[in-house]
Amino acid sequence: MNTVKTVRELRAAVARARSEGKRIGFVPTMGNLHSGHAALVTKAAQRADFVVASIFVNPLQFGANEDLDKYPRTLAADQQRLLDAGCNLLFAPTVEEMYPDGMGVQTRVSVPQLSEGLCGASRPGHFEGVATVVSKLFNMVQPDLAVFGEKDFQQLAVIRAMVRDLNMPIQIIGEPTVRAEDGLALSSRNGYLTPDQRATAPVVYRTLKQLGEAIGAGQVDFPALVEQGKQQLEAAGLRPDYLEVRHAVNLKPANFGDRDLVILVAAYLGNTRLIDNLYLHLDETTA
Ligand code: PAF
């Protein structure tokens, strides 16, 4: 697996693969890779002949008080993990390579409705930063397909909408969340948790599952269920940012009769913000 740092080298390597008739798969990441990322690369390797991954901690998607500076940078370990998962080329650009004119970059991509609320409410500008960097990366790599984790459910919805609205000829594939044995969704930010916090953290997924089971069993009073869920998180020492039941495709608040639902949660454990979600498809007997 080659690692390249410039757009020029990236384009040359992808052009070579394409001239050999290869289908290009792409997995954008911010590094500090875990088995969840490996699953994205494995999926890309199953669907494409040449897999490009990127590692770039994108300043544009971090708020002023967020963890941009302390976000873990672990390039050597990441390279090994990518190689093991079947990646062919790593693009690991500098900030200057990605934003030669600085962070005041003029052209931005925004997907306003889907970016409102949920994570967008407490992270203003975050999804504009994500959509902008992902469209830049898409233009640099020009992949046939790209794989994203379903753990970042709102991000995936934003990217799907962007690709559709801007006619980008790229198939977007969502890959299910990889969890630790106790249910905690794998995330680079789990590394910030103290051992005590790590022992508490699975309450997030437990809460989602309990809500999911209640809704699956026919409970329709979503506000009451959400309130119970928040109380459970608070009792465990977390500070819920949001816990919501939404329509799984357009992310609008769920209505009675909707069959494709997603329960989304973000909660602080100490200073660490954990997010997770649970997709629910209700059949006719339950909705
Ligand atoms: O999900 C991530 O790691 C990032 O938001 C992404 C998609 C790599 C864009 O910086």
Side-chain angles (χ1 to χ4, degrees):
M1 184 189 73
N2 258 344
T3 299
V4 294
K5 290 190 175 302
T6 64
V7 178
R8 212 161 62 90
E9 293 166 296
L10 167 73
R11 289 214 162 114
V14 173
R16 246 187 329 270
R18 211 176 263 297
S19 73
E20 291 161 7
K22 291 183 173 157
R23 200 170 143 75
I24 312 296
F26 179 45
V27 180
T29 81
M30 298 204 302
N32 194 232
L33 305 180
H34 48 66
S35 340
H37 297 106
L40 307 181
V41 175
T42 304
K43 174 57 68 67
Q46 285 163 358
R47 301 281 184 93
D49 312 301
F50 187 82
V51 178
V52 182
S54 63
I55 294 182
F56 179 62
V57 183
N58 172 36
L60 207 60
Q61 70 188 73
F62 284 77
N65 300 317
E66 294 185 355
D67 54 347
L68 173 64
D69 293 335
K70 77 166 183 171
Y71 200 87
R73 273 96 167 157
T74 51
L75 185 63
D78 291 347
Q79 282 168 317
Q80 188 58 49
R81 209 178 256 284
L82 289 170
L83 180 66
D84 294 345
C87 178
N88 301 102
L89 179 70
L90 169 60
F91 177 49
T94 59
V95 173
E96 293 70 32
E97 182 72 11
M98 287 299 286
Y99 297 109
D101 298 325
M103 299 318 300
V105 53
Q106 283 301 296
T107 307
R108 309 212 177 189
V109 180
S110 69
V111 186
Q113 250 176 36
L114 283 166
S115 302
E116 269 169 19
L118 304 169
C119 285
S122 51
R123 305 189 70 188
H126 170 68
F127 288 114
E128 187 180 87
V130 170
T132 301
V133 82
V134 170
S135 38
K136 283 169 71 71
L137 289 165
F138 280 177
N139 283 330
M140 291 166 182
V141 178
Q142 301 194 330
D144 297 287
L145 61 91
V147 188
F148 292 83
E150 286 176 354
K151 178 176 159 278
D152 296 303
F153 199 91
Q154 190 176 10
Q155 167 172 286
L156 182 54
V158 165
I159 286 162
R160 284 192 196 284
M162 174 186 88
V163 164
R164 209 172 41 244
D165 289 348
L166 297 182
N167 302 84
M168 296 177 171
I170 301 169
Q171 184 193 358
I172 302 300
I173 300 171
E175 178 67 10
T177 303
V178 177
R179 300 181 179 281
E181 259 177 34
D182 58 12
L184 179 66
L186 296 194
S187 161
S188 301
R189 292 192 167 98
N190 294 349
Y192 299 150
L193 300 173
T194 65
D196 277 357
Q197 290 172 337
R198 175 62 190 80
T200 302
V203 70
V204 174
Y205 185 52
R206 248 188 346 263
T207 303
L208 285 177
K209 276 207 306 199
Q210 282 165 10
L211 260 66
E213 277 159 23
I215 295 170
Q219 288 204 38
V220 288
D221 188 352
F222 298 152
L225 286 172
V226 160
E227 199 41 49
Q228 280 168 26
K230 283 186 177 165
Q231 281 173 14
Q232 172 157 318
L233 293 172
E234 278 163 6
L238 283 86
R239 197 158 42 85
D241 179 4
Y242 62 78
L243 175 62
E244 295 198 31
V245 186
R246 296 277 183 119
H247 188 282
V249 177
N250 57 30
L251 291 186
K252 297 211 164 113
N255 284 315
F256 180 70
D258 286 344
R259 299 201 194 295
D260 283 309
L261 299 176
V262 59
I263 313 171
L264 302 117
V265 63
Y268 288 91
L269 186 46
N271 293 325
T272 305
R273 190 167 180 278
L274 301 175
I275 65 168
D276 203 349
N277 64 79
L278 183 73
Y279 168 77
L280 290 176
H281 176 76
L282 303 182
D283 61 30
E284 287 176 26
T285 53
T286 48

